[in-house]
Every structure is written in structure tokens, then in C-alpha cells.
Amino acid sequence: MVANKKFLTSKSLASQNDAVDFETMWAELSSSLREIHTKNASKLSFEELYRNAYKLVLKKKGETLYERVKSFEEEWLGREVRTRINGVLSSSLLVGAGGAVGITTVNEKRVAGEKFLKGLKQAWEDHNLCMNMTTDVLMYMDRVYCTDHRRPSIFTASMGLFRDHILRSSISSQEDITIAMVLNFVILDQIQMEREGDIIDKNLIRSCIYMLEGLYENEEEEESTKLYLTDFEPNFLQASRDFYQSEGQLLLRDSDAGTFCRHTRKRVNEEQDRCRSTLSPLTAPKIKAVIEDELIRKHIRDVIELEGSGVKYMLDNDRINELELVYELISRVDQKKEELRKAVQKRVVELGGEVNNAAIASSQTQNAKPAKVDGDRPDGDGKPPPEKPVNQQTAAAIKWVDDVLQLKDKYDQIWRRAFSSDQGLQTALTRSFSDFINAFPRSSEYLSLFFDENMKKGIKGKTENEVDIILDKGVTLLRYIQDKDMFERYYKKHLSRRLLMKRSVSMDVERQMISKMKMEVGNTFTQRIEAMFKDMAVSEDLSASYKDHVAKLGDPDPKRVELDVHVLTSTMWPSEAMAPSYKDGESKPTCIFPSQIERIKHGFEKFYLDKHSGRQLTWQANMGTADIRAYFPESKGKIKTRELNVSTYAMVVLLLFNDLARGESFTFEEIQGKTNIPTNELIRNLQSLAVAPKTRVLIKEPMSKDIKSTDKFLFNESFYSNFTKIKIGVVTSGNRVEADDERKETEKKNNDTRGGIIEAAVVRIMKQRKELPHQQLLTEVITQLTSRFLPDVNMVKKRIESLIEREYLERLEDVNRPAYRYLA
């Protein structure tokens, strides 16, 4: 028999040798890894370890080596590291991590938490250090095997092992609680303690956060899969939301608005600082959103409306810092600042309403009293008596404007200092001021009176800058007024008196004012006013030419009256302001001038009409003034001379007494019969001449304030004054607040003027468009005229009907909607 023999091939021998070699080398490697983990690596030869690992990979043992290292690390983490971490866990931490409430003091919680964090931090740092050293040994395996087979590096794999076998491992005593749960609980508990004012170890927490930022959910290690973002941050944000939700309710219940805002800003800053120093900057915008939701967005309305401390209180008491806080907080959650805007608007309208009501109450309770007539005016070092508004109602009108300006100044300061010049809030303030100013029926008149008083005396002694500020403030209020045509009517009326009575302090300031108004409301508004100034300039040249003309005639009369005349264009000047005041039903005869005045009149008329043929001159005696010389006998037989500045009507009355014998008198009826002065005008002038205490150049019998038709008047020879020049003003001759009936008449005239303006706008639009639907025509007319006044829709409709009747327009037939066609 032939015995069977087995022969080993060279290939199988090589395999056995390789296996022997791998196990030998692995035994050496694993022993070295253990030395590294036990921190005894100082005697190891890393070069030799690297060569061994290199050889194994060359011999195609890379996969086996890779799995052996993973198994080693897994075993080490499970047996050594987890045991150490379990050793630093206290029962109170396990109770808290499980959701129950442990009975421990703050200090005990802090100590237990820090002990656990230190243990985990040490385990993580040791693992990182050991794996870095291991990676150096297995560098060739990572570069060749892991790259070729698309396996994660051994370092990455070991990080995943730490995640799975440490952080996500269950506590031996409680299987439902993991170390990661305890870690989240401890960090959140430490943050809660810091929020409540305790001191914590921020660096220790930051080290553990670094760990979470260095670990990922999977081996791809995408940014969004960091354990910090997937595991810790959601818990942190939810815990923070619960905390601030509760805190917001407590603050709102126990604190005032200012305290709430200060605390909220403090919390925002604390959380931002916490993200920089303790947690991660990645969380900063998210925790900011939580605070904004829970403390600001949910409560800002209630904070703003808090009685006794909210925005209303802050505005009334100039709490600029607190208002700035409110603005800062609401800006975080609402770009439009809607609730703050509503609160500010409401308060401005309320305060504006109070200003309006005070002005209305004042006008109702303060009856317009006759003004004290201007007293003596010295011609030297003496000072005239201080000027006052014509009556108390006029003073109330000026006070209304001053109060509105004061309110405007206050809120402008708040807007700049507290609201950072926010454009949205500026729009809200503009709307609020416009609302209450236009709700006051006399705003246009009162604003014009404000300018009038300042132009006559308010700007005396002020610098150019101060004058400019006053004018700018007034023009600012003009910007808010809707019925600018009504303001123009009053301004022209008041301006005409200033110009003709020479009461304006400075013509330069008057022109400056017109320039400012032109910039604010346009050329159309100031066109007629500028024409008034042009008339005054032309009249100065005309008066000078007339004086030259008289001088060339060589008139020898030394007592000839000098004439200073203003020739006005009737269409540019307010006729109602320049007309005399007549009683109801009274005829309107022409004033009878003394013969010497008549000669001067005729002479000027001839001079003027020779230059301007075809024109007609109408003398306005009620608007002029005269300087006359009066002679009063003294007790020693001497004659004392006084120069009197009086109205033209007063001059006509006084000249009557030149033809009257000493001691004789005229009755009221006789004076009126000789002069044809309207009753109201004559009464006011006689009150100035015979009733006013300091200017009684006439004696009235019987003496009383009222003037009756039977009263007698005679020359007061005993009149005495310390001054050589005396100004005798006319009672209520200045600009004043209109009475109700005068106001109605002004509104009626203004509406008549508006009718013409509306018709012109309709024709202008239709001439361009030819055909337009009714609604579109209304819209365009209102849009065009809004800058001047707010047209009434019914008035626009009436003017359209009037234009149809006069065949400027016609209605379109066979159309679905009403429409019009322009007729050329």
C-alpha cells in the first residue's frame, strides 16, 4: 500500500506566517495603546510602533488592524472611562436629570454639578490626547487604508465611540438616564443659577461645550449634526423660553414699565455675553429671538400701556432714557414700532386737544374788551408804555400758538433724543399735530395773529438767529394746516394793516417771512402777498415823485399839508380788511374831508391820472394816519404845542374844531353830518379822543365810556402831556380775533373763492384729458388742490354742475359710469 502524504504549499505557509506576524505585532501595539491610555507612554518608541502598523497595512491587514483598534477603544471606554464617570455622579444629579425635583441647596447643586463636569471634562481631554497619539502611530493606515476604503479616520471613529459608549450610555443604576441627559441637566442648572445671581465656573462649562461642538451625530461630521446643535441647544432654548415666559409675567405684575425695560435689556446683554464666554456664538441669534418673543413681543403692548409708568407717563415726565429703552426694545420685534407709534400719536392728540379746549374756553369766557388806547409816545429818552395785544382773545390766540409750539419743541426733543430721529415716528408725530391743529376751527386765524404780533413787536431786540427761529417755528405750523387758503386770507388782512399803518418792526423780516412761506407752500401761495410789497415799493417812488412835482410848482403856502400816499392794486389787497366798519343797513357815503385836504387830494389825483390814464382812485380814509400840530394854552398865557399822530378819521374830526368858537361844542350827530364818517368808525375815534384817560384832547359831555348820538364834544384847552409827540391809537383798530359773525362772513367769502379755484382746476384737467369718468375727475381735482385746501366733495360736484350749465362740460351718454367731455 502506498501511504497518503500531505504537502503544504508555499501560499498556505505564507498565510500562517502572516497570521503569526499580525498577532505578534498587534500584541505589541495593543500593549502600547494601553500604556498611552494609562499615561505611561514616555518609554515607548513611536517610530517602531509606526513601522509595525506600516507593515501590517502593507501586508493587507489594514481592515483587521482598523477593527482591532476600534474594539480596543470601545472596551477601554466601557470598562475604564465609564466607570470613572459613574463615580462622580451624585444621586441628586440623577434625580434632576430624570425630571424630578431634588431637595438640595444651591451650593450642594453647584458642588455636585462641578464635580461631574470636571470628571467628564477630564475623560474627554484624556480621550482626545490619547487618540491624537494613536493617530500618529496609525497615520499610514489612515492615509492608505481609510482613504482607499472610504472609512472614517481612526480619530473620527474614536470620537463616535466616545459619543456612543460614554455620552449615550445608560447609568448603571438607572437605565433610562444617559450621561448626556445628566450633562444637559447640569449645564442648564448651572445657567439657571447664574441667571438668579449666583457665580458659576464658566470655563468649566465652556470646556464641556467644546466637547459637544467636537462630536457629531454621524461620521460625515456635517456642521448641522454637531451634538451641541442637535442635543444641547434645543434643550437650552426650551428651558430659556420657559424661564423668560415666567419671568415676563412676574415682571409685568410686580414692576413698573421702566424697570421692565431695563431688566429686559439687561437680560439681552447677559445672554449675548453668555453665548460669547460660556456657550457658543452659534446660539446668540437664537436665544436673542427667545428673549424677544417672551419678554418683548408678548409684553411690549402691556408695558407701553401700563397705568402710571407706561409711555404716557414717560412722555409727560420727560423720561428720555426710559423712552429710549422702549424704542430700543420695540425696534427688535417690530420695524414699524406700531404700538409705540399709536401711544405717542394718542398722547399728542390728547395734549393738543387740551390746548384747543383751553383756547376755546378762553375765547368763550373772556369777552373782548375795548383795548387800552396807545398812550403818550415820547420824543426823547422817555420810554413808551409796553405794547399789549389788542384784547384778551387775541392774547389767547397767541397763547394757543405758543402752547402748540412748546408741545412741538418737546416732542421734537423726544424724537431726536429717545427715538433716534426715526422717520416712521416722525410721520406719526406730523400726522398727530396735523390732526389736532386742523380740528381747531381757528388755527389759520390764530397762526396769522401770532405772526402779526411778532412782526409788530415780538422780534424787537432779538438777534437775526432768534428771529429766524421764531419764523421757522411758525412756518412749521403752517405746514400742518390743511386750509392754507384761509391762512392766506388772514395773513393778507393782517399784513395789510401792518404795512399801511407802518407797524412792522422790520421790512427785511417781513420779506424773509414771505421767502420762507414760498419755500414751504409754493409760489402760488405768496404771489398776491408779494404784489402787496411791490405796491408799497412803487408807492414810495410815487410819493417822492409827487413831492418833487409840488416843489416844482413853487407853492408858497408854508402850512401846506404834506401827502404820503400808498396806491394799492385793488385785486391784490384784502378789500374786506380795508373797508370801513358800517352798521347793518347803514348807507356808505364818501367821507367829507376838510377843504385843505380836498385840495391836496385833487392835486394828487391829477398828478397820478396824468401818468396813468384810465385808472380810478378810491380813497380809503379808514386806513390812513395823520400827524397834526395842536396848540393848547397854558396858565401863564404861553402856547404849548403838541404833535399828535392820529387816524385820518380823527384828523377830519379834530380839524372841525378849528372853525368852532371857544367853549362851543359839536354833538355826535353834527360831527357825523359834517364828515360822513361811518357810525362804528366815528364812535371808536371819539372814544380815543375823548374817553381814553391819557389822550383826551376833546371833552365829552356827559362823561362816559359809551358814545350816544346826543353827546357833546368840545376842545380840551387844559390837555397836558409830558411828551411833545403823542400817538393816539384807535380803539380795537389793530388786528384781533374775529367775532363769530365775522368768522362766518370770512368763511363764506373763502368758500366763494374756493368755488372759482375748483372750477379752474376742473377746466384745466378736462382741457388736457378731454374725457374723464366722474370719480377720476373728483380724485384728480382733490389731489391738485390738497396742497392749498381740502376740497369738499359736494362743493366739487356743484361746481361741475355749474360748468355743465354754462356749457364748459357735457355728460357722456351711453356709458356705464358717469363721465364728462370738455367742450372747447
Side-chain angles (χ1 to χ4, degrees), residues 346-359:
K346 180 181 178 183
R347 189 55 184 154
V348 170
V349 172
E350 286 174 353
L351 294 174
E354 291 175 9
V355 172
N356 291 347
N357 293 335

Side-chain angles (χ1 to χ4, degrees), residues 59-113:
K59 291 182 179 183
K60 309 299 182 182
K61 297 297 182 181
E63 181 177 359
T64 307
L65 176 61
Y66 184 86
E67 293 298 332
R68 289 283 183 94
V69 173
K70 279 184 63 178
S71 298
F72 175 86
E73 293 299 331
E74 186 175 333
E75 181 183 356
W76 178 266
L77 289 171
R79 187 182 70 249
E80 300 291 336
V81 177
R82 187 163 33 187
T83 302
R84 289 201 299 270
I85 292 175
N86 284 335
V88 296
L89 284 172
S90 68
S91 59
S92 62
L93 294 183
L94 297 176
V95 170
V101 179
I103 306 175
T104 55
T105 65
V106 172
N107 190 54
E108 287 173 342
K109 285 197 298 181
R110 183 192 304 107
V111 171

Side-chain angles (χ1 to χ4, degrees), residues 13-33:
L13 285 172
S15 296
Q16 288 181 0
N17 291 333
D18 287 347
V20 172
D21 290 341
F22 176 83
E23 293 299 335
T24 303
M25 290 182 181
W26 169 246
E28 186 177 345
L29 270 174
S30 62
S31 174
S32 299
L33 291 178

